[in-house]
Amino acid sequence: MDPLLEPFDLGSLTLKNRIVTTAHAPLGYTHDGLMTERYLRYQEEKAIGGIGLVMFGGSSFVTPDAHSFFESINAGDPRIQDDYADLSARVRAHGARTIVQISHLGRRADDHATWLPTLAPSPIRERAHRTWPKVIEDFDVPRILAAYARAARYALEGGLDGVEVMAGSGHLPDTFLAPRANRRTDRYGGSLENRARFLVEVLGAIREEVGSGFAVGVRLPGEESSADGLSGEDCVEIAAHVTAHADLDFVDVMYGSGFTHRELAQQIPSAGTALGFKLAMAQAVRDVVDVPVIHAGRVADLATARHALREDLVDLVGMTRSHIADPHIVRKLMAGQEERIRPCVGASHCLQGNDTLCIHNPATSRETFIPQLTSPATHRLRVTVVGGGPAGLEAARVSAERGHDVTLYEAASQFGGQVLPMTRSARQSEKRSITEWLVAEAKHAGARLLANHYVDEDDLLKETADVVIVATGGMPDTDLPQGGGELTLSSVDVLGKAAPSGRTVLVFDDHGGEQALVVAEHYLEGQDNTVELVTVDEHVGHDVGHTIMPGYKTRLLQGGVTLTTDTELLSVEKVDGRLRATLRNVASDAVSQRVVDAVVVEQGTLAMDDVYEALKPHSSNGGALDLERFRHGLAQPESPEGSGFRLFRVGDAVSHRGIHAAIYDARRLCQNL
């Protein structure tokens, strides 16, 4: 048997397989600390997809002074028991089990949610979450212990299978454990036994409250990502001590801490990080404890997960972000369709903004109106798609899965659109799997994908399509306020070639995404290049997530890139065989100039809409879209029989949209076509 599909006993629980999702906090899915239907469906989908254990409720808080920044569950509210019962029933109906994470967030709590001071063993501020904590007083400890016990009882009485105490990532218990956060000289500070005392007392209070037969575990650091943080040896010693002094059913090992944004970024590794890069850390903990060990961290594919189990590195393998990309991993594995699993590409799009959204699975966390599986249509249509980027490929895939007769035309020799240049660097190459998967799935569904096929309105009017979907993308916008845009390069121009050497380059970013950062990093791959990254925003990478941006900053600064903010590019002109760029600071209005060898402009794209505009007068709907129906993924109005084809456009052919928006456009349009 595949080790991933083996049953496993976790305390008194029998799990049907050894794949789990670890607890995290999907943003925006709770209301007043309670689960919404969106939250319930998001978790339920993984059970439908065959997973053995759904761990949920990351950073669920047990007291008002531990309120989460992440819109987490209020585990201290007795009303949560009804939600637990609902979720447990849904998950168990598909043979899975549930464990909730409970926590006091300590100094990383949201002190403005309740206007109560945060707490910590010592008055040391965490830079990432920026609160100044109150030092815990004697009377705080029994109050917090009772809150943990009460939250565990709510989980038990709500029908869940267990609780996990969060003691990593800068929450209250591990600030006691870490000497850099704990300067106490009483019974809670100094020696390892003293620093671990609070956590041992928390676990003891919980076990006394819930008794045996209810799983109790703890999430511990296996190593902190800081020179002055807990080392791997420290964490192994902590794990051995805690498991020896508390009645536990499992240990969940995590990497990193949350003191700074750089540490947070290392804690949740993104594309370019080796798969399973900290499994050895989890194994070191497993070697000294006598309870099962769970670990999640860049276990992005089944090959890595299988390796972790076969080599006895862990007992249960966490595939959390992988299930955001595809919650039906286990179902596909059991059906012999491992190659059809939608891959996690490490984009960390799920960690940006106010929703937990996958960069290329628009159904995740929208299950209430965007199903993970496409349903068949009642009658077959002939669908023509123009353009083979993410939007066009998704339109072709979904339409073909609906049972329609689909033909996609792509003018270039390769499918992928602007995903291709953005993924030519080794660190970004995983993201090419986005369009590779779409191509494979569209073909599997029966769509005809034709590369090297340029079509215009005359070609399309000769066809007898019922629906034409224009996904022709956009062209880079390099226009400048005072001229000279024709002398510049776009991100696509630069990333389509090997990095030159010995060049002085100015990269101008009026976009805020990863594009300009990737360009600047690309130039560092050449020899002796001098690079300045200029942005009109108040900081570089304005729209890049906080778990992604620190990595870029580290690489760019170590490579000598100059970062200039609050500055716009006005013009470029030729001077003695070089280029003179004129800049203006948008805060002071000061004008300055640079003389360089190349200027790269990143300002997004302008829609390539010639075909769309030419087809509009010939279509039955004039290209019109019912936005309210589109917004909710409902079918667009049918045209009268014999009135001609319906015309739509998606992705960058509308405006500069980005990968997720492009795919989401196509999915909403086509899922009820």
Side-chain angles (χ1 to χ4, degrees):
M1 179 181 286
D2 189 322
L4 295 167
L5 299 178
E6 292 175 353
F8 186 81
D9 290 332
L10 186 70
S12 60
L13 295 179
T14 296
L15 307 178
K16 65 178 181 178
N17 57 56
R18 297 171 72 180
I19 300 178
V20 311
T21 53
T22 51
H24 57 287
L27 297 176
Y29 299 5
T30 62
H31 177 70
D32 193 25
L34 303 176
M35 301 182 203
T36 61
E37 179 63 19
R38 185 183 191 186
Y39 192 107
L40 294 164
R41 282 290 296 114
Y42 169 73
Q43 304 294 353
E44 181 186 11
E45 193 69 35
K46 291 174 280 192
I48 294 171
I51 201 167
L53 174 62
V54 177
M55 303 176 77
F56 71 99
S59 302
S60 297
F61 54 96
V62 299
T63 65
D65 58 355
H67 198 287
S68 169
F69 274 104
F70 320 117
E71 300 185 44
S72 301
I73 292 168
N74 184 349
D77 187 335
R79 296 178 297 167
I80 198 62
Q81 294 174 89
D82 291 337
D83 291 346
Y84 288 160
D86 191 351
L87 179 59
S88 177
R90 297 184 191 210
V91 169
R92 286 186 179 181
H94 303 283
R97 311 305 286 266
T98 55
I99 289 177
V100 65
Q101 183 183 96
I102 59 175
S103 179
H104 192 296
L105 285 86
R107 64 185 185 180
R108 76 181 324 187
D110 182 359
D111 58 342
H112 289 175
T114 55
W115 292 97
L116 296 172
T118 60
L119 299 177
S122 299
I124 301 170
R125 184 193 196 202
E126 183 197 84
R127 293 173 183 168
H129 292 87
R130 308 185 66 78
T131 68
W132 278 268
K134 182 196 93 165
V135 176
I136 291 175
E137 300 178 69
D138 291 344
F139 56 78
D140 286 317
V141 173
R143 171 179 65 85
I144 295 170
L145 296 180
Y148 269 108
R150 184 167 55 249
R153 175 163 48 83
Y154 291 159
L156 171 65
E157 294 177 353
L160 301 183
D161 298 297
V163 295
E164 173 185 79
V165 173
M166 181 57 155
S169 189
H171 290 229
L172 184 58
D174 63 290
T175 53
F176 276 93
L177 294 171
R180 63 173 170 165
N182 183 352
R183 298 175 183 169
R184 300 176 75 97
T185 57
D186 62 2
R187 62 196 298 266
Y188 292 105
S191 67
L192 169 60
E193 180 180 3
N194 283 352
R195 287 183 285 114
R197 188 184 308 279
F198 178 77
L199 176 56
V200 170
E201 289 177 348
V202 167
L203 296 170
I206 289 173
R207 180 59 76 189
E208 183 178 353
E209 185 73 20
V210 300
S212 60
F214 186 69
V216 177
V218 61
R219 193 166 203 188
L220 290 171
E223 179 186 353
E224 288 193 335
S225 52
S226 171
D228 59 347
L230 294 168
S231 67
E233 292 78 10
D234 293 333
C235 292
V236 167
E237 188 179 2
I238 288 168
H241 178 85
V242 171
T243 54
H245 291 83
D247 182 5
L248 292 172
D249 294 294
F250 66 90
V251 170
D252 184 358
V253 181
M254 65 181 299
Y255 170 66
S257 57
F259 184 62
T260 65
H261 282 104
R262 184 180 181 185
E263 291 177 40
L264 282 172
Q266 293 167 333
Q267 179 183 309
I268 311 174
S270 59
T273 307
L275 297 178
F277 79 122
K278 286 298 177 181
L279 279 167
M281 171 198 73
Q283 182 188 26
V285 170
R286 187 174 184 266
D287 288 342
V288 300
V289 302
D290 58 359
V291 295
V293 168
I294 306 169
H295 173 63
R298 282 296 276 161
V299 183
D301 62 5
L302 291 182
T304 305
R306 200 173 281 119
H307 164 76
L309 296 179
R310 282 181 173 159
E311 297 300 317
D312 289 330
L313 307 181
V314 297
D315 297 287
L316 297 169
V317 61
M319 300 187 71
T320 306
R321 282 182 288 174
S322 299
H323 275 78
I324 294 174
D326 191 339
H328 289 208
I329 289 174
V330 176
R331 180 185 62 80
K332 292 178 181 178
L333 172 61
M334 294 178 69
Q337 298 176 336
E338 187 170 339
E339 76 284 354
R340 296 191 61 201
I341 294 170
R342 192 192 305 252
C344 175
V345 298
S348 293
H349 190 83
C350 51
L351 298 167
Q352 302 181 41
N354 296 321
D355 297 276
T356 301
L357 302 175
C358 175
I359 191 171
H360 68 132
N361 185 347
T364 292
S365 86
R366 297 186 178 109
E367 289 85 0
T368 56
F369 68 103
I370 306 285
Q372 291 285 346
L373 302 178
T374 307
S375 60
T378 56
H379 61 282
R380 197 171 196 227
L381 301 174
R382 184 171 180 183
V383 178
T384 297
V385 181
V386 187
L393 290 169
E394 175 73 351
R397 179 189 76 86
V398 176
S399 297
E401 287 185 354
R402 293 271 290 158
H404 299 313
D405 181 359
V406 179
T407 302
L408 181 148
Y409 297 104
E410 167 55 49
S413 60
Q414 290 180 286
F415 302 106
Q418 294 192 34
V419 170
L420 296 179
M422 281 293 294
T423 56
R424 288 200 173 105
S425 71
R427 204 169 66 82
Q428 298 289 332
S429 60
E430 289 179 63
K431 296 176 185 175
R432 191 170 295 195
S433 297
I434 294 171
T435 47
E436 290 174 344
W437 184 87
L438 287 170
V439 167
E441 286 296 295
K443 289 180 177 178
H444 182 271
R448 291 179 296 279
L449 307 183
L450 304 177
N452 292 310
H453 274 68
Y454 172 83
V455 292
D456 59 19
E457 61 271 22
D458 292 332
D459 299 318
L460 295 168
L461 289 172
K462 292 174 185 176
E463 298 198 359
T464 56
D466 299 299
V467 177
V468 176
I469 300 172
V470 175
T472 44
M475 289 293 291
D477 177 11
T478 58
D479 285 346
L480 299 175
Q482 296 178 13
E486 72 281 359
L487 302 175
T488 69
L489 300 170
S490 69
S491 298
V492 173
D493 295 330
V494 172
L495 297 173
K497 302 175 183 178
S501 296
R503 308 283 283 174
T504 301
V505 182
L506 186 148
V507 181
F508 174 62
D509 183 20
D510 194 3
H511 180 294
E514 291 187 67
Q515 285 83 348
L517 303 173
V518 173
V519 168
E521 190 175 316
H522 177 72
Y523 276 109
L524 295 182
E525 295 177 4
Q527 299 295 316
D528 301 319
N529 288 321
T530 300
V531 182
E532 180 179 8
L533 175 56
V534 176
T535 178
V536 72
D537 296 316
E538 64 266 29
H539 57 81
V540 296
H542 184 278
D543 298 328
V544 178
H546 68 278
T547 63
I548 301 294
M549 194 58 221
Y552 278 114
K553 276 190 176 179
T554 296
R555 281 181 287 275
L556 296 182
L557 292 174
Q558 288 177 348
V561 175
T562 300
L563 305 179
T564 302
T565 62
D566 299 304
T567 300
E568 64 178 332
L569 176 62
L570 297 178
S571 65
V572 175
E573 57 189 327
K574 288 183 178 180
V575 177
D576 299 327
R578 302 184 78 196
L579 299 177
R580 181 165 60 201
T582 300
L583 308 168
R584 179 171 60 202
N585 186 285
V586 297
S588 68
D589 292 327
V591 175
S592 61
Q593 293 182 328
R594 311 280 194 275
V595 177
V596 296
D597 298 309
V599 176
V600 185
V601 173
E602 175 51 60
Q603 297 179 140
T605 58
L606 299 173
M608 294 176 59
D609 55 5
D610 292 352
V611 170
Y612 170 78
E613 292 294 341
L615 291 176
K616 279 174 67 174
H618 302 280
S619 65
S620 61
N621 63 331
L625 192 69
D626 185 323
L627 285 178
E628 194 61 25
R629 298 185 68 83
F630 177 69
R631 176 187 170 198
H632 296 289
L634 301 174
Q636 290 295 305
E638 296 282 352
S639 297
E641 189 172 348
S643 62
F645 62 89
R646 288 182 291 165
L647 174 68
F648 305 103
R649 58 174 171 162
V650 290
D652 286 0
V654 180
S655 63
H656 185 74
R657 304 280 285 148
I659 294 172
H660 178 82
I663 294 175
Y664 187 29
D665 276 359
R667 180 59 190 271
R668 282 188 287 188
L669 174 66
C670 297
Q671 70 176 18
N672 286 307
L673 195 63

